[in-house]
Amino acid sequence: MPTFEYAPAPESRAVVTIEDSYGLFIGGEWTPGHGTPFATINPATGEHLSTVAEATTDDVDAAVRAARTAYTRVWSRMSGTDRGKYLFRIARIMQERARELAVLETIDNGKPIKETRDFDVPTAAAHFFYHAGWADKLEYAGLGSDIRPHGVVGQIIPWNFPLLMLAWKIAPALAAGNTVVLKPAETTPLAAMLFAEICQQADLPPGVVNIVTGAGATGQSIVDHPGIDKIAFTGSTAVGKMIARSIAGTEKKATLELGGKAANIIFDDAPIDQAVEGIVGGIFFNQGQVCCAGSRLLVQENIVDDVVRRLKRRLETLRLGDPLDKNTDVGAINSAEQLARITELTEAGVAEGAERWDTGCPLPKNGFWFRPTLFTGVSQSHRIAQEEIFGPVLSVLTFRTPGEAVAKANNTPYGLSAGVWTEKGSRILWIADQLRAGVVWANTFNQFDPTSPFGGYKESGYGREGGRQGLAAYVRSGGVA
Amino acid sequence: MSRIDVRKTYKLFIGGAFPRSESGRSYDVYAAPTREGNRAFLANAAQASRKDARNAVVAARKAVAGWSGATAYNRGQVLYRVAEVMESRRDQLIAEVRSAEGLTAARAATVVDAAIDRWVWYAGWTDKIAQVTGNANPVAGPYFNISAPEPTGVVAVVAPQGDSLLGLVSVVAPVVATGNTCVVIASQEHPLPAITLAECLATSDLPGGVVNVLTGDPAEMAPWLASHLDVNAIDLAGAGSLDWAALEADAAGNLKRVRRPSTDEDFTATPALSRMTDFLETKTVWHPKGR
């Protein structure tokens, strides 16, 4: 196969201004935090980007009080139409400042500009646009005759889609009439800092959105605060369980969007080249740091050699490198900790007897990098088939019958997503019925839309985000529903 | 000379059978106190153990595939049949509820009628809930996209402890209407109507294991169900006087869906839809469109 050389095509950083330090966004103002400020770095280079405040329990308390005041005095009294108008404004500003958001997200997270520009930012704006329209139509959502907001919602989001997860959380909460205290992940706070500025630009009433930065302790302060009516969390299953325990016996509600170990099932009648594209997108999108990633490939036994050969050939064409380069397919791993976890689990895969293959591509000197990696000869009991790796690592398993495919796919405590590839319609529908997962992609993978509910079965959490079912998580209903 | 009556032995209901507790234990059940404060002995009820609760979960799990895979129409027919069978035992149920709870004859009849009617109500819901809570999603791309509810699986239920029949039916019927199976801990003090209900269920074409009824001490059994890793959800309706915060914390071990205790719920009122939706998952399926 001929190799094409690509000239560097870096996106300009000039569009983004990063401050030397950031405080907490409370009551519409920047205020200093009282904890120990921490650094955020560019994971692709190790370069120091900014210093961010750490919110203490007292700071979280101030944020919750600001949110409560805004809820009681302003947001809960405002008409749905006006709430919606603010959300439409935010959506528009995000579209206008899309380039800036995309570059900032790429710098802070390490994901390719191609993804932030074409997926993260437009989808985040679309979430605000979609939910803006619900704000004055809640009584048509079929969620009951007397629906009310919860009040103050505490939201804790992960580092893999910093802006998009913020949008998934804030847009429905505000549309339904809640105010929020949101904590971005400690390794990726900058998108939320820029979003705070967007809230100011939109003249969003102070205190409707409050953003506090910090790590686990700050998150725990939000969860434990008595003034919080509902928790929305996206992150690991272990932390999700801690949150569920923390709020036991209280009146707090929770939605938890947690880990996954999705099966991607390929039948021998599938369009193989399309399936290979779907497999690659399913596991290598965002360096595999996706809770719904198709990390377990289940291939019908008679085609496994062909699929693996085509897969390897396709993976060798992926370009790994500078995330700001518009031709880059695979960016940096988000942090040293995450890289260590991926490394540890892949080493366990080798130690347990699976066969490791990677693209062998050169890795940049600085920053955190991991080559697209594939394991064959994986069995159900291997850690790489059971545990969420959250990295660009695909485990290949085989099956013979549809029944075996379903049994293996469901053999996990998780249940977030699954994929199936076959040309047979009746088989798609049967498999979709059998899979214990909240999202099933048939002949496609990793599709997202604001109108489409997302969330898991079993230990992948509860509640949905997106669509009518996602909206339901942000209202209480009286009446008969 | 009056006839010596044949008294009934009240047992558990697990997997469609009526076993005694594996522990061999039973406990005395008394009628509601008379005006003079006397409580007549009614029967010995089986006192279920941890092992009985686990056996019930195994039976409930075994029944999931068949019951959740049955057509909604079929489930509706079966639930309606439960109402028919209860109607034919109406006098017996009234007598049992009356002696257990000390109600007037008229009040007991009202409660039993409401319990029967509740099955009819949920029989009608089985093939409508997906239409009410599911929908197509207009995604911004060439994809067919649909969201529909599915049962969460095995649901443990602590039944209301005072309202022995209507309360029980009001928490069990919505769980099984949508295709879940359940293990229910009946009212400890008034377990007899629950066992008579189980006899109605056993003769209503309800597959064995869909509803499993345990009698005994909720404080003893509930922690094992709350922490059981093969239980998907728990309804703490009747756990208000237990340490339900601890039960909810136990349930976090495998992220069970938890419905917290109801306070002073009026079971004669039209039920909230959340009695069903709290034990449903939303599944969203995507498929590309193309020529």
Side-chain angles (χ1 to χ4, degrees), chain A residues 26-334:
Chain A
I26 296 176
E29 309 267 348
W30 292 103
T31 57
H34 295 88
T36 314
F38 57 98
T40 182
I41 62 168
N42 180 342
T45 60
E47 167 202 3
H48 174 94
L49 295 174
S50 183
T51 302
V52 180
E54 185 201 20
T56 61
T57 303
D58 286 345
D59 294 327
V60 167
D61 182 57
V64 173
R65 277 187 285 114
R68 177 64 61 189
T69 304
Y71 175 74
T72 321
R73 298 202 186 145
V74 183
W75 203 243
S76 66
R77 298 181 180 189
M78 190 182 286
S79 71
T81 311
D82 287 350
R83 282 202 315 274
K85 280 180 168 175
Y86 280 112
L87 294 176
F88 278 123
R89 262 191 201 173
I90 291 172
R92 276 294 192 241
I93 298 175
M94 287 174 78
Q95 288 172 328
E96 286 156 13
R97 301 181 68 173
R99 180 66 57 97
E100 201 179 337
L101 285 162
V103 172
L104 183 66
E105 188 86 317
T106 285
I107 294 172
D108 202 23
N109 171 279
K111 61 172 73 189
I113 186 75
K114 197 155 76 175
E115 289 179 12
T116 55
R117 182 195 62 198
D118 297 346
F119 175 71
D120 296 70
V121 178
T123 314
H127 261 270
F128 276 96
F129 206 89
Y130 172 75
H131 288 97
W134 268 127
D136 58 358
K137 300 170 193 69
L138 296 171
E139 66 272 31
Y140 298 99
L143 302 173
S145 51
D146 170 31
I147 53 175
R148 285 156 291 131
H150 290 287
V152 178
V153 181
Q155 305 183 312
I156 301 168
I157 59 171
W159 45 260
N160 58 342
F161 295 95
L163 182 71
L164 184 59
M165 291 301 106
L166 174 151
W168 280 26
K169 295 283 180 288
I170 292 182
L174 265 49
N178 304 279
T179 57
V180 307
V181 175
L182 175 129
K183 185 189 90 63
E186 63 270 31
T187 61
T188 56
L190 297 186
M193 302 294 99
L194 180 49
F195 181 79
E197 206 185 300
I198 290 174
C199 292
Q200 287 177 326
Q201 238 179 19
D203 288 327
L204 188 72
V208 171
V209 168
N210 303 275
I211 297 173
V212 292
T213 40
T218 306
Q220 190 70 48
S221 298
I222 295 175
V223 170
D224 292 340
H225 196 289
I228 293 283
D229 299 303
K230 177 203 157 65
I231 298 289
F233 171 75
T234 297
S236 73
T237 289
V239 175
K241 288 179 182 179
M242 275 169 51
I243 291 174
R245 267 186 213 105
S246 297
I247 64 165
T250 71
E251 290 190 10
K252 290 175 190 169
K253 302 282 184 190
T255 42
L256 305 172
E257 202 270 89
L258 310 173
K261 191 75 190 174
N264 201 358
I265 305 169
I266 321 294
F267 282 95
D268 61 5
D269 67 340
I272 301 294
D273 285 331
Q274 279 178 44
V276 165
E277 285 307 306
I279 296 163
V280 171
I283 181 64
F284 299 108
F285 173 58
N286 201 26
Q287 294 69 246
Q289 301 169 130
V290 184
C291 47
C292 55
S295 53
R296 286 185 299 150
L297 183 66
L298 290 172
V299 188
Q300 202 154 20
E301 199 177 74
N302 53 323
I303 57 163
V304 67
D305 293 342
D306 186 27
V307 169
V308 169
R309 195 181 61 246
R310 294 199 216 196
L311 201 50
K312 287 177 178 174
R313 195 172 59 198
R314 177 69 181 89
L315 293 181
E316 281 170 344
T317 68
L318 293 179
R319 282 178 297 274
L320 177 147
D322 181 8
L324 275 176
D325 191 306
K326 284 174 270 199
N327 289 322
T328 292
D329 298 306
V330 180
I333 301 301
N334 182 251

Side-chain angles (χ1 to χ4, degrees), chain B:
Chain B
M1 215 171 93
S2 66
R3 179 173 173 270
I4 306 296
D5 57 348
V6 179
R7 293 181 182 169
K8 188 158 89 181
T9 306
Y10 289 87
K11 296 190 284 188
L12 307 176
F13 183 53
I14 298 175
F18 289 91
R20 292 190 171 82
S21 168
E22 61 78 35
S23 66
R25 299 178 305 175
S26 65
Y27 67 105
D28 297 346
V29 177
Y30 295 96
T34 60
R35 209 165 299 164
E36 295 77 35
N38 301 320
R39 306 194 66 169
F41 173 79
L42 291 176
N44 290 303
Q47 188 174 351
S49 64
R50 170 180 80 178
K51 179 83 164 70
D52 292 316
R54 288 180 172 166
N55 289 344
V57 172
V58 171
R61 174 58 63 193
K62 223 167 142 184
V64 166
W67 185 242
S68 64
T71 64
Y73 177 59
N74 179 236
R75 284 201 303 272
Q77 299 254 305
V78 171
L79 263 56
Y80 186 77
R81 179 75 181 154
V82 174
E84 288 179 350
V85 175
M86 283 177 75
E87 185 87 19
S88 70
R89 293 218 197 190
R90 185 171 173 273
D91 291 345
Q92 180 195 359
L93 287 164
I94 290 172
E96 283 181 348
V97 169
R98 194 178 172 197
S99 64
E101 298 178 27
L103 306 178
T104 63
R107 178 69 195 156
T110 304
V111 166
V112 170
D113 288 346
I116 295 171
D117 292 352
R118 185 118 313 151
W119 284 104
V120 175
W121 200 69
Y122 282 112
W125 264 116
T126 60
D127 53 6
K128 293 165 195 73
I129 187 71
Q131 294 180 309
V132 170
T133 62
N135 49 265
N137 302 302
V139 296
Y143 294 93
F144 172 80
N145 177 300
I146 192 161
S147 294
E150 284 192 352
T152 192
V154 174
V155 181
V157 180
V158 182
Q161 294 296 298
D163 200 333
S164 62
L165 182 69
L166 178 58
L168 175 68
V169 168
S170 299
V171 294
V172 167
V175 165
V176 298
T178 58
N180 294 296
T181 65
C182 81
V183 175
V184 60
I185 303 174
S187 162
Q188 181 178 19
E189 209 185 335
H190 317 304
L192 306 190
I195 295 304
T196 301
L197 172 68
E199 291 167 8
C200 296
L201 299 175
T203 50
S204 303
D205 299 327
L206 190 76
V210 172
V211 175
N212 303 276
V213 181
L214 301 171
T215 55
D217 184 2
E220 181 188 354
M221 287 178 280
W224 299 106
L225 293 174
S227 59
H228 198 299
L229 293 181
D230 206 24
V231 171
N232 299 95
I234 186 163
D235 182 352
L236 297 172
S241 60
L242 305 179
D243 183 0
W244 66 266
L247 295 174
E248 186 180 346
D250 285 346
N254 66 335
L255 291 166
K256 285 180 189 68
R257 288 70 176 121
V258 177
R259 186 175 168 107
R260 291 176 178 150
S262 6
T263 43
D264 303 325
E265 188 166 345
D266 175 10
F267 289 112
T268 59
T270 302
L273 211 58
S274 62
R275 282 235 161 262
M276 286 186 285
T277 55
D278 281 357
F279 306 109
L280 293 173
E281 307 287 336
T282 299
K283 179 183 278 177
T284 300
V285 180
W286 294 67
H287 195 279
K289 296 177 182 176
R291 271 182 272 191

Side-chain angles (χ1 to χ4, degrees), chain A residues 416-420 428 431-432 435 437-442, chain B residues 283-287:
Chain A
L416 188 52
S417 67
V420 55
I428 289 171
I431 295 257
L435 291 170
V439 183
V440 176
W441 288 294
Chain B
K283 179 183 278 177
T284 300
V285 180
W286 294 67
H287 195 279

